[in-house]
Amino acid sequence: MSQSFAAPPDTDAPLVALRDVSVRFGTQTVLEEIDLALRPGRILTLLGPNGAGKSTLARVILGIVTPHQGQVTRRPGLRIGYMPQRIKLDDSLPLTADGFLALGSAGATRERRNALARVGVAHLRRRAVQQLSGGEMQRVLLARALLRKPDLLVLDEPAQGVDVAGQDALYGLLAEVRDEFGCGILLISHDLHLVMAATDDVICLHRHICCSGTPDVVSRDPAFRDMFPGHTATNLALYTHEHDHEHDLQGNIDCAGHHHDH
């Protein structure tokens, strides 16, 4: 009689991998031929202007949006912690930071307290969420994501509404979380200076991947300079790949004056 055995998990395999992924809403192509891999212990930042498809790509990774083309592979048993761009709470709702964490969480009181302590806001446990600053609320949202003990953290514009000093502290905290838990992190952002210093890898998105690589390589890429005029490797204090096309005002791809399928 033959016997079958479960294969051991491949610890080098990506947490999530996208291959040739495209998404259409009606007749509009939102994402086109996306290839990427999210790996343990790496921070990947997704940069691009409004309307570039960043949030749609995040929803594909989260499993909320199904692509009409391509393949999405997730590591078996993958746990994802998600930190939304913003959350709207009723001002009349009497809710403390601890109570907010308890919503939809099976975590014990001690686990919630530990999560708040890990992100540096244990002292805000009984504070009403309406009284929290932007930076404090972002840390509470991060604590909520950490309660899932995630293999992958997905953070949509985590520094929005946070001052520069708070952004610096938040990105430093994310690096600490990555080092401590070994999780992969996907940052979605349109900010440049601090996030470029805080990430391992960068993808510039405008419906398709315009350029990708380490921050120092991407910051020297012509596609990056077109997307973020005036930001260079020097003034970012911080990347070169061949890029044979530009975008017109409608976001369509223009290769030496010709549109093509990319």
Side-chain angles (χ1 to χ4, degrees):
M1 180 184 295
S2 63
Q3 291 180 296
S4 61
F5 299 91
D10 183 358
T11 55
D12 293 327
L15 299 169
V16 180
L18 276 61
R19 182 177 177 84
D20 194 31
V21 163
S22 296
V23 174
R24 279 198 302 259
F25 295 141
T27 59
Q28 182 184 13
T29 298
V30 181
L31 294 173
E32 192 171 14
E33 299 179 6
I34 304 294
D35 293 324
L36 67 81
L38 296 165
R39 299 186 179 278
R42 302 286 292 181
I43 299 176
L44 172 64
T45 296
L46 194 60
L47 288 173
N50 290 335
K54 302 189 299 295
S55 292
T56 299
L57 183 51
R59 293 186 183 105
V60 171
I61 290 166
L62 292 167
I64 298 169
V65 169
T66 301
H68 80 274
Q69 172 187 304
Q71 183 178 25
V72 180
T73 305
R74 296 178 181 85
R75 183 180 289 187
L78 180 72
R79 294 188 304 272
I80 300 179
Y82 176 58
M83 181 174 161
Q85 183 175 140
R86 63 175 66 87
I87 190 161
K88 178 65 175 174
L89 296 170
D90 190 332
D91 289 342
S92 65
L93 187 66
L95 190 63
T96 64
D98 182 67
F100 173 72
L101 292 190
L103 292 175
S105 171
T109 300
R110 184 180 68 251
E111 291 176 324
R112 298 197 301 272
R113 185 181 291 118
N114 289 342
L116 288 170
R118 181 62 196 83
V119 300
V121 290
H123 61 291
L124 300 176
R125 180 170 173 262
R126 299 191 181 280
R127 181 83 58 85
V129 290
Q130 291 86 353
Q131 297 175 358
L132 300 178
S133 70
E136 290 168 343
M137 190 63 198
Q138 294 302 81
R139 287 178 180 248
V140 171
L141 288 170
L142 179 57
R144 185 179 71 162
L146 291 177
L147 278 173
R148 293 183 56 83
K149 300 177 174 61
D151 306 301
L152 173 64
L153 272 173
V154 178
L155 302 98
D156 192 353
E157 300 282 4
Q160 184 165 320
V162 182
D163 62 27
V164 172
Q167 291 178 35
D168 192 26
L170 181 62
Y171 288 131
L173 176 60
L174 291 177
E176 292 175 11
V177 166
R178 183 270 310 272
D179 294 342
E180 182 175 340
F181 297 102
C183 57
I185 296 178
L186 174 64
L187 285 172
I188 302 165
S189 182
H190 62 263
D191 298 317
L192 294 178
H193 294 78
L194 289 172
V195 76
M196 290 290 268
T199 191
D200 299 309
D201 305 292
V202 178
I203 285 177
C204 289
L205 187 74
H206 202 309
R207 296 206 315 236
H208 74 299
I209 293 176
C210 299
C211 56
S212 63
T214 58
D216 59 314
V217 171
V218 170
S219 64
R220 290 195 293 268
D221 191 289
F224 176 87
R225 293 199 297 267
D226 288 345
M227 190 175 289
F228 301 104
H231 295 281
T232 66
T234 301
N235 66 27
L236 282 169
L238 292 172
Y239 67 52
T240 307
H241 103 150
E242 297 299 322
H243 194 75
D244 62 356
H245 67 266
E246 299 176 351
H247 293 277
D248 63 20
L249 293 175
Q250 288 72 44
N252 298 314
I253 303 160
D254 185 2
C255 296
H258 300 286
H259 295 282
H260 77 131
D261 295 326
H262 186 76

